[in-house]
């Protein structure tokens, strides 16, 4: 290994051949590699961000020498320039690295033996000569030529884009989409790329466009910015926005005048890139008051409204049921008399084609559902049970005795077609569909689901309207309730554990705006194992962190040996900060699983035994955003990770690890639809941006047996008193009401 020279002014440049990549972080391109300088034969270690480099390339490096406590002398790269290798040695290394599919070390040696330093020119300009190399026929020569051209296009594109923060994965998407024209399209129509390539958003396209000389107020830029603004607002839950609000928001984003933006909104409406609606019930609307939305969300809301009208217009396909007698029969089977509201819920579901059942924890939703399912089964009706998440579906199965599945599995997503198999043309084979945790239904998923319901079937939506709204855009359950066009049964009387559960009573107190602190202790030695909800007072963020770690790593294992590691879940209001999801995960991994065999991943390491969460829908793997699994195997040499998700094992390559994150702690939003034996909730005044009544209510109601709130009493009061949940802009209610007239 080469060492830094002894003179006091070590060189700040280095040129040579990249020999071997020891480690590469796909997210930030941080690389550790072996490097052979042109001067001297000893290899040295280089470290730094080296996006897109390949073994065998000649690199011109600028940086400084450093000394690592364990690994000795290293060259820390600050800037670099790469070029294709020119020596026979470098060309062999480059071609044999696996960069070009179909060319391994054996064929790389044969090709370089035949053409020497002229190899790259032959591949680019005279690829027919490859057939003269022993073992390379017409098919292999064609495949090598195609792979070489794609790699060359990728390389040129990446060199062009690396200053804009575009990742290698995004470059691959550009090549897949546009082929050899990718760079030309980027230069002519950068904003088109933002619309068509997942992961390359408006901001990246805008940087490219401005650097290429596009005018600040050019129509393509303003149009792309307006659509990007709506996409951004969609992430906040809105499906529609008043035109004036969109205009002002986009003008600020684009740093241009509201008048210019207004003119482009008009143009986008004219070309049907935006949908605009007349304000409901207003004869002479004010300028800028008309709701506007993306056409895809407009169509989704139309689908929901049309499905509700269709279901209401067609008679029931259920067999004849004497409703009152059926409820009495269900009570006898259950062994207790239902509350009147529970009877009403069952009757409403049997009589009405579409109905809603809502209520908080312990109010009898589960008993009502079990009774309904028993009645339908006895009548030989086909019942489908579903929920947005796997955990919620599993809980629905356990509580009703029926078979429940996630909505994605019910609708059978087909990755080849890019859509659900069940739809309006091929509806679900069911007489009665029950959807639990319906408050989690976002507009697009609800549209796909409602369209797939047969016209003669019944639909029952079950949910808690006091919980957080869906992660995706929309407010489907509340919007449908607000139309007053569907019968709604509200359960409000607490039945669970005869009203003695502190979890349940605290949740209802929060909903009532009662900010009185639950049972509180100052130190962990005062914690009582029998209590189902306790507030543990923390002085500051560091104290909150330490007490959270101690509860998870010491108190729970010592007092509840029946709990498995995954049964306890930390739910945090925010991702950042000392007591945020990110830092909590690293510290909990260190405390609960310090020695597991692992694999480097973006932002850290995944170890065997770690709890992980899926961050996006992956239809090929049948995994969905929010699914939680446990690492069962890691192969550092192959760069693969094995993860068990509720009994289903999946393999992840190194390039797929960005779709996963540690899940010892998750956000409260991600916990929707799930239930855990024990929940630990850090709660600090520093979380003030997120402290809302429905957030705290949702977190507490995730706990099945035990809830520990760790934090500042003032933060609890702030959350309970803040009932100003941000109103979501939608147009679903208006569409449903319009179809009633």
């Amino acid at each position: 290994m080469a060492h830094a020279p002894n003179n006091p002014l070590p060189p700040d440049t280095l040129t040579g051949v990249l020999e071997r990549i020891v480690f590469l972080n796909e997210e930030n391109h941080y690389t550790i590699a072996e490097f052979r300088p042109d001067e001297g034969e000893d290899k040295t270690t280089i470290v730094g961000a080296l996006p897109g480099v390949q073994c065998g390339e000649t690199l011109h490096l600028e940086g400084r020498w450093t000394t690592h406590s364990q690994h000795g002398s290293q060259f820390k790269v600050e800037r670099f320039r790469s070029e294709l290798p020119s020596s026979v040695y470098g060309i062999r290394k480059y071609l044999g690295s696996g960069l070009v599919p179909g060319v391994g070390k054996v064929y790389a040696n044969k090709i370089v033996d035949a053409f020497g330093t002229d190899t790259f020119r032959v591949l680019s300009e005279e690829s027919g000569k490859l057939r003269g190399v022993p073992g390379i026929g017409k098919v292999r020569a064609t495949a090598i030529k195609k792979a070489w051209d794609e790699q060359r296009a990728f390389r040129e594109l990446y060199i062009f884009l690396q200053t804009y923060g575009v990742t290698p994965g995004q470059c691959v998407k550009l090549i897949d989409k546009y082929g050899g024209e990718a760079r030309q399209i980027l230069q002519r129509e950068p904003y088109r790329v933002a619309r068509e390539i997942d992961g390359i958003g408006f901001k990246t396209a805008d940087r490219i466009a401005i650097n290429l000389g596009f005018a600040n107020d050019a129509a393509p830029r303003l149009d792309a910015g307006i659509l990007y603004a709506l996409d951004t607002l969609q992430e906040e839950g809105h499906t529609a926005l008043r035109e004036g609000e969109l205009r002002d928001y986009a003008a600020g984003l684009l740093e241009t005048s509201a008048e210019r933006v207004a003119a482009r909104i008009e143009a986008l409406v004219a070309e049907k890139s935006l949908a605009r609606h007349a304000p409901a019930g207003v004869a002479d609307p004010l300028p800028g008051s008309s709701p506007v939305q993306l056409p895809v969300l407009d169509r989704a809301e139309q689908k929901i409204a049309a499905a509700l009208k269709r279901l209401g217009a067609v008679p029931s396909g259920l067999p004849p049921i004497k409703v009152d007698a059926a409820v009495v029969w269900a009570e006898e089977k259950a062994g207790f008399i239902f509350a009147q509201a529970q009877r009403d819920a069952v009757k409403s579901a049997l009589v009405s084609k579409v109905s809603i059942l809502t209520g908080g924890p312990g109010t009898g939703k589960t008993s009502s559902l079990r009774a309904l399912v028993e009645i339908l089964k006895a009548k030989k009706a086909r019942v489908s049970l579903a929920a947005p998440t796997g955990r919620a579906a599993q809980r629905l199965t356990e509580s009703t005795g029926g078979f429940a599945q996630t909505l994605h599995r019910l609708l059978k997503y087909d990755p080849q077609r890019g859509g659900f198999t069940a739809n309006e043309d091929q509806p679900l084979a069911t007489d009665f569909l029950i959807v639990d945790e319906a408050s989690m239904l976002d507009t697009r998923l609800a549209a796909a689901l409602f369209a797939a319901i047969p016209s003669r079937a019944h639909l029952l939506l079950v949910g808690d309207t006091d919980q957080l709204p869906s992660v995706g855009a929309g407010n489907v359950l509340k919007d449908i309730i607000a139309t007053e066009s569907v019968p709604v049964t509200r359960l409000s009387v607490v039945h669970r554990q005869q009203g003695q559960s502190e979890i349940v009573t605290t949740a209802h107190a929060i909903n009532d705006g009662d900010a009185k602190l639950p049972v509180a202790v100052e130190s962990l030695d005062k914690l009582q194992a029998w209590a189902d909800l306790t507030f543990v007072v923390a002085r500051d963020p560091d104290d909150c962190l330490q007490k959270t770690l101690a509860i998870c790593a010491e108190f729970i294992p010592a007092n509840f040996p029946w709990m498995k590691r995954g049964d306890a879940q930390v739910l945090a209001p925010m991702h950042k900060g000392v007591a945020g999801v990110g830092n909590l995960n690293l510290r909990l991994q260190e405390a609960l699983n310090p020695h597991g065999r692992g694999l480097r991943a973006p932002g850290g390491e995944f170890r065997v035994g770690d709890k992980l969460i899926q961050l996006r829908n992956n239809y090929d793997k049948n995994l969905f955003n929010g699914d939680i699994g446990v690492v069962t195997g890691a192969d550092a040499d192959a760069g693969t990770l094995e993860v068990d998700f509720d009994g289903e094992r999946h393999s992840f390559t190194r390039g797929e690890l960005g779709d996963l994150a540690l899940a010892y702690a998750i956000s409260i939003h991600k916990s929707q639809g799930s239930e855990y034996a024990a929940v630990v909730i850090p709660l600090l005044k520093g979380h003030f941006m997120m402290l809302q009544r429905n957030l705290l209510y949702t977190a507490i109601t995730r706990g099945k047996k035990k809830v520990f709130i760790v934090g500042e009493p003032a933060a609890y009061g702030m959350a309970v008193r803040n009932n100003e949940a941000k109103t979501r802009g939608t147009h679903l209610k208006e569409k449903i009401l319009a179809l009633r007239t």
Side-chain angles (χ1 to χ4, degrees), residues 34-112:
E34 287 183 0
F35 186 77
R36 185 188 295 275
D38 288 346
E39 297 180 5
E41 296 186 359
D42 287 346
K43 297 177 186 176
T44 192
T45 298
I46 60 173
V47 298
L50 295 166
V53 297
Q54 303 291 343
C55 293
E57 287 187 7
T58 295
L59 301 182
H60 302 273
L61 310 176
E62 293 183 33
R64 57 189 175 85
W65 289 99
T66 61
T67 302
H68 190 278
S69 58
Q70 287 181 296
H71 305 296
S73 178
Q74 298 178 339
F75 191 81
K76 188 173 182 180
V77 180
E78 295 172 355
R79 286 177 295 278
F80 80 98
R81 178 170 56 85
S82 69
E83 60 186 45
L84 286 174
S86 56
S87 68
V88 168
Y89 172 82
I91 294 169
R92 285 187 200 279
K93 193 85 177 170
Y94 187 79
L95 278 186
S97 66
L99 181 72
V100 180
V103 181
K105 288 184 179 178
V106 173
Y107 280 108
N109 285 333
K110 288 182 178 181
I111 292 169
V112 178

Side-chain angles (χ1 to χ4, degrees), residues 633-662:
D635 187 332
D637 293 330
T640 58
L641 200 72
E642 298 291 329
V643 187
D644 184 299
F645 288 88
D646 292 328
E648 292 183 11
R649 292 202 172 191
H650 296 274
S651 180
F652 294 83
T653 63
R654 200 182 295 277
E656 295 174 316
L657 297 185
D659 292 345
L660 300 168
L662 290 172

Side-chain angles (χ1 to χ4, degrees), residues 664-736:
Y664 295 104
I666 63 174
S667 69
I668 295 171
H669 281 84
K670 288 281 189 187
S671 75
Q672 288 175 265
S674 296
E675 197 173 60
Y676 310 93
V679 163
V680 185
I681 308 163
L683 199 68
L684 297 165
K685 289 184 291 185
H687 298 150
F688 68 92
M689 290 178 63
M690 300 297 294
L691 293 181
Q692 293 178 334
R693 185 180 298 177
N694 59 357
L695 186 90
L696 182 57
Y697 174 82
T698 299
I700 286 174
T701 54
R702 300 309 91 201
K704 190 174 182 181
K705 301 285 187 184
K706 305 289 176 183
V707 172
F708 304 89
I709 307 171
V710 186
E712 298 165 312
Y716 183 89
M718 288 167 65
V720 174
R721 285 188 288 269
N722 182 10
N723 198 29
E724 298 300 317
K726 194 169 183 180
T727 303
R728 291 187 166 192
T730 69
H731 196 249
L732 177 58
K733 176 185 172 183
E734 289 78 4
K735 287 182 173 73
I736 295 172

Side-chain angles (χ1 to χ4, degrees), residues 542-559:
D542 286 319
D543 191 32
C544 175
L545 173 65
Q546 295 307 321
K547 285 176 176 172
T548 298
L549 294 174
I551 289 171
C552 294
E554 299 167 20
F555 184 82
I556 288 176
N559 289 277

Side-chain angles (χ1 to χ4, degrees), residues 44 244 260 278-279 296 309 313 319 363 385 399 436 482 582 591 598 616 656 674:
T44 192
R260 285 196 176 100
V296 65
K309 182 177 182 179
T363 55
L385 301 168
S399 62
D436 198 10
R616 71 174 186 89
E656 295 174 316
S674 296

Side-chain angles (χ1 to χ4, degrees), residues 369 373 383-397 400 402-411 428 430 432-438 441 445 449 459-462:
L369 287 180
V373 171
V383 184
S384 297
L385 301 168
T389 67
R391 298 254 174 149
Q394 183 180 350
R395 200 167 71 248
L396 187 58
T397 295
T400 63
F403 170 68
Q405 54 192 320
T406 64
L407 293 170
H408 286 89
R409 289 185 174 93
L410 174 75
L411 296 172
L428 297 164
T430 190
F432 204 115
L433 174 60
I434 298 172
V435 180
D436 198 10
E437 298 288 354
L441 274 176
L445 183 55
L449 175 69
L459 170 65
L460 173 63
L461 300 174
V462 184

Side-chain angles (χ1 to χ4, degrees), residues 345-585:
V346 176
K347 290 178 182 179
S348 176
L350 291 171
V351 171
S352 304
K353 289 290 299 302
V354 181
S355 58
I356 293 173
L357 172 60
T358 183
T363 55
K365 293 197 303 292
T366 298
S367 299
S368 304
L369 287 180
R370 191 185 301 119
L372 178 61
V373 171
E374 293 282 0
I375 292 169
L376 292 168
K377 279 184 177 178
K379 287 295 183 177
K380 303 289 192 268
R382 296 172 299 174
V383 184
S384 297
L385 301 168
T389 67
R391 298 254 174 149
Q394 183 180 350
R395 200 167 71 248
L396 187 58
T397 295
E398 294 165 355
S399 62
T400 63
F403 170 68
Q405 54 192 320
T406 64
L407 293 170
H408 286 89
R409 289 185 174 93
L410 174 75
L411 296 172
K412 295 183 178 61
Y413 187 85
D414 181 356
Q416 301 298 323
R417 289 170 45 195
F420 292 110
T421 300
N423 50 44
E424 49 264 58
D425 299 321
Q426 294 178 284
L428 297 164
T430 190
D431 299 316
F432 204 115
L433 174 60
I434 298 172
V435 180
D436 198 10
E437 298 288 354
S439 62
M440 295 179 64
L441 274 176
D442 64 66
T443 300
R444 294 197 197 197
L445 183 55
L449 175 69
F450 284 31
I453 301 171
S455 296
R456 291 173 62 82
H458 284 234
L459 170 65
L460 173 63
L461 300 174
V462 184
D464 184 346
T465 54
D466 293 316
Q467 287 187 28
L468 290 168
S470 59
V471 175
N475 213 356
V476 176
L477 185 62
K478 280 190 174 181
D479 281 349
I480 295 175
I481 291 173
T483 66
E484 299 182 353
S485 61
V486 171
V488 179
T489 306
R490 290 181 173 84
L491 303 180
S492 56
V493 179
V494 176
H495 301 286
R496 187 190 295 180
Q497 297 178 17
Q498 292 75 51
Q500 297 306 303
S501 165
E502 191 71 20
I503 295 172
V504 173
T505 54
T506 300
H508 285 276
I510 289 169
N511 261 350
D512 292 338
D514 183 354
K516 181 183 176 184
L517 204 64
V519 175
V521 297
E522 296 282 343
S523 59
L524 296 186
D525 57 6
K526 299 286 178 49
L527 269 179
Q528 299 294 329
W530 53 263
D532 68 346
L533 186 146
T534 309
F535 192 102
V536 181
V537 176
R539 298 183 304 275
D540 52 42
D542 286 319
D543 191 32
C544 175
L545 173 65
Q546 295 307 321
K547 285 176 176 172
T548 298
L549 294 174
I551 289 171
C552 294
E554 299 167 20
F555 184 82
I556 288 176
N559 289 277
F560 313 114
W562 49 270
M563 281 195 202
K564 301 188 292 292
R565 182 188 292 171
D567 288 346
Q569 183 63 59
V570 177
L571 303 178
M574 295 181 72
H575 283 271
K576 296 180 179 179
V578 172
V581 170
N583 189 51
L584 280 165
N585 267 317

Side-chain angles (χ1 to χ4, degrees), residues 222-223 226-227 263-275:
L222 298 182
D223 292 354
I226 290 165
L227 297 177
R264 294 315 305 166
I265 289 176
E266 199 66 43
L268 289 169
V269 170
E271 66 183 44
K272 294 185 167 43
S273 293
L274 275 183

